Amino acid sequence: MLDRMDDMHFDLVVIGFGKGGKTLAAALGKLGKRVAMIEQSAQMYGGTCINIGCVPTKSLVHHAEHPGTGTPPERHRKAVEATRALTAAMRGKNFAMLDTIDTVTVITGKATFLDPKTVRVAAGDDVLRITADTIVINTGAVPSVPAIPGLRESTRLLTSTDLIDLDHLPKRLAILGGGYVGVEFASTYAQFGSAVTVLDAAPRIMPREDEDIAAAATGILRGAGVEFVSGAHVTGVRDIDNGVEITYEIDGETHTLAADEVLAATGRTPATEGLGLGRAGVRITGTGAVEVDEHLRTSQPHIFAIGDINGGPQFTYISLDDYRIVADQLLGTGKRSTTDRKFIPYTVFMSPALSRVGLTEREAVARGLPVKVVEQAIADIAAMPRSKIVGETRGLMKFVVDRETDLIVGATLLSVDSQELINLVTLAMRHDVTASELRDAVYTHPSSSEAFNEVLGTPPVRTH
């Protein structure tokens, strides 16, 4: 809580305790700069990732994959309790990380700009006015809830934030959206024992992936018990006795689905509401993100926006790289920018995980690149005994390789350990390591990376 204090001036004010902001606050604080970290909730010290994002969701994924003993509701309850304990410990550590630096002040309250250099912070009846030479907006994003009649009014509506902290296991879980968030939760809760149905307006899940990858992922999820309803346009939601009824149309025909809860997994929106950006002279884009240049400066040169709020990829590791760019502006040469980013990987933590970097086959062909495609099912890779050791032989590996240069232009790994393997592939792509060099490298055994020895040596399944 705030004490009643006079106006205060800082060298740096960070609004929001996310990855990039907290790292920047710590770095400048250790250099003796006066820094204020403003966070509206003590339950969000450390930011989205450790409290309601990456850490708790991946903790639930782990517990779903390693269920232990007991009934499904008991296993789910233990997973939620373990996840809460983990996030509480990390939240405390993140607070201490800044609170132990003499020149850093952590202030809990809602921040609103009064003008380009002044921020008002309110917590109950306590109000503080803060001025700063440099201000960093780091408030992240919030789950989007589509404007479907009855959805926002439903007592059975869940966002991703709600679901990860739900005390009970839904017997029937309906998920609106077949993108990455929807797929991840579908995989996790099907493993916990929920009857999961994914409703998606698109003809297939994960439309950004190649069709063969999406088909393989769909097969795995269906094998885990997930039902998919594609081409479904949801027209209404209403609460019924002990649940919720969802009405949707496919090709003009009306259908209904009953569930215990409904998860809106339709993306996240930059959290700009209530910040008073207009008073600060900070422009936003047509999609609601804070407008920034390649150095993450807003329309006000002394105000930066980092992390999910600036419209870039919504990944914690991008927020960390945003910190590096801003730190270079404040402390370094000022040359580092978002244009330096090359080949950013991502992972969807279904089971097994799906990871990708670079171009899909479809994108490479659309660009007219001369490529070959090598692809192999995990179950068929003799050089990957680890998959058999851990009992996870589902999935496939796919590489798109430039036929003229032998450079990898894209890779999709749907396999055990893919979240680690993709970083090795990304490093190879960033430093122009050829597919042949990756194929002929010496890897430890038994490991998942040695699969590259075999997959990259197979004849192309297609050439373009």
Side-chain angles (χ1 to χ4, degrees):
M1 291 290 293
L2 293 172
D3 294 324
R4 292 186 181 276
M5 292 185 281
D6 296 330
D7 293 1
M8 300 181 68
H9 181 78
F10 293 87
D11 299 307
L12 170 70
V13 164
V14 179
I15 305 173
F17 213 131
K19 182 67 173 181
K22 68 187 179 188
T23 309
L24 184 68
L28 268 68
K30 289 175 182 177
L31 293 175
K33 302 291 185 180
R34 294 192 66 201
V35 179
M37 166 60 74
I38 305 171
E39 173 52 57
Q40 65 179 350
S41 170
Q43 295 304 305
M44 288 296 292
Y45 292 152
T48 294
C49 180
I50 71 162
N51 291 293
I52 57 173
C54 340
V55 170
T57 56
K58 278 52 178 183
S59 172
L60 292 174
V61 169
H62 171 77
H63 286 284
E65 291 175 340
H66 304 84
T69 59
T71 65
E74 289 171 342
R75 294 196 297 265
H76 173 261
R77 178 179 51 78
K78 291 176 183 177
V80 171
E81 290 173 351
T83 299
R84 287 172 178 166
L86 173 63
T87 56
M90 295 186 70
R91 187 162 54 245
K93 186 171 183 179
N94 272 260
F95 175 77
M97 178 185 79
L98 294 185
D99 192 53
T100 54
I101 302 173
D102 290 341
T103 58
V104 176
T105 303
V106 178
I107 302 171
T108 306
K110 175 66 177 177
T112 304
F113 281 98
L114 297 178
D115 60 48
K117 290 207 170 185
T118 309
V119 175
R120 175 184 184 272
V121 184
D125 294 330
D126 295 326
V127 176
L128 177 66
R129 285 168 51 98
I130 293 174
T131 58
D133 299 325
T134 301
I135 300 174
V136 174
I137 307 170
N138 184 46
T139 51
V142 293
S144 302
V145 177
I148 296 170
L151 179 60
R152 296 180 184 179
E153 294 76 26
S154 174
T155 60
R156 302 286 178 156
L157 167 65
L158 300 173
T159 65
S160 57
T161 302
D162 302 320
L163 183 56
I164 61 176
D165 199 41
L166 197 65
D167 287 312
H168 65 274
L169 177 67
K171 291 182 179 180
R172 302 166 300 169
L173 176 64
I175 298 178
L176 307 185
Y180 300 131
V181 173
V183 163
E184 191 169 292
F185 278 111
S187 175
T188 300
Y189 278 82
Q191 290 179 96
F192 274 131
S194 296
V196 178
T197 302
V198 177
L199 299 169
D200 194 38
R204 63 174 174 87
I205 64 170
M206 296 189 288
R208 288 177 56 190
E209 305 302 329
D210 282 328
E211 288 190 10
D212 55 348
I213 298 296
T218 300
I220 289 172
L221 291 163
R222 281 183 173 146
V226 179
E227 293 188 15
F228 292 95
V229 182
S230 300
H233 297 271
V234 178
T235 58
V237 174
R238 70 182 185 95
D239 288 357
I240 58 176
D241 291 342
N242 301 316
V244 62
E245 183 181 78
I246 302 162
T247 304
Y248 61 94
E249 293 182 355
I250 299 178
D251 296 329
E253 186 175 344
T254 300
H255 305 264
T256 60
L257 172 70
D260 295 301
E261 272 90 16
V262 55
L263 169 67
T266 50
R268 294 175 66 84
T269 303
T272 59
E273 185 177 355
L275 283 175
L277 297 179
R279 290 190 294 273
V282 173
R283 292 194 296 266
I284 61 174
T285 68
T287 60
V290 174
E291 181 182 295
V292 294
D293 64 14
E294 69 273 19
H295 300 295
L296 305 176
R297 290 184 189 272
T298 69
S299 47
Q300 292 285 358
H302 68 287
I303 301 177
F304 297 83
I306 64 177
D308 294 355
I309 198 168
N310 66 24
Q314 293 184 349
F315 302 127
T316 294
Y317 44 93
I318 292 295
S319 181
L320 180 61
D321 196 58
D322 284 355
Y323 143 74
R324 299 184 185 112
I325 292 170
V326 175
D328 187 49
Q329 288 292 305
L330 300 179
L331 304 172
T333 63
K335 295 180 179 179
R336 188 164 187 152
S337 76
T338 55
T339 61
D340 298 328
R341 291 176 182 156
K342 188 178 178 182
F343 304 123
I344 302 299
Y346 61 83
T347 295
V348 183
F349 283 85
M350 56 179 286
S351 300
L354 187 157
S355 304
R356 180 161 72 83
V357 64
L359 303 178
T360 62
E361 178 183 358
R362 182 179 68 244
E363 291 169 336
V365 171
R367 295 189 184 189
L369 299 180
V371 295
K372 64 180 181 180
V373 178
V374 294
E375 184 176 297
Q376 197 168 0
I378 301 302
D380 297 336
I381 303 176
M384 192 182 178
R386 171 163 165 75
S387 64
K388 299 173 179 62
I389 291 169
V390 300
E392 181 53 275
T393 59
R394 298 174 295 176
L396 56 85
M397 290 189 180
K398 177 178 182 178
F399 288 84
V400 183
V401 181
D402 189 303
R403 289 188 282 111
E404 296 177 354
T405 64
D406 196 35
L407 294 175
I408 299 166
V409 298
T412 306
L413 313 178
L414 175 57
S415 74
V416 62
D417 298 331
S418 76
Q419 73 274 16
E420 300 292 347
L421 296 175
I422 203 66
N423 293 319
L424 175 59
V425 177
T426 301
L427 190 63
M429 292 172 65
R430 286 174 182 158
H431 294 278
D432 292 337
V433 174
T434 65
S436 298
E437 290 173 312
L438 197 63
R439 176 198 65 201
D440 295 336
V442 179
Y443 302 104
T444 57
H445 174 83
S447 65
S448 293
S449 54
E450 60 185 334
F452 300 155
N453 293 147
E454 184 172 330
V455 177
L456 288 168
T458 59
V461 295
R462 285 177 298 280
T463 58
H464 300 280

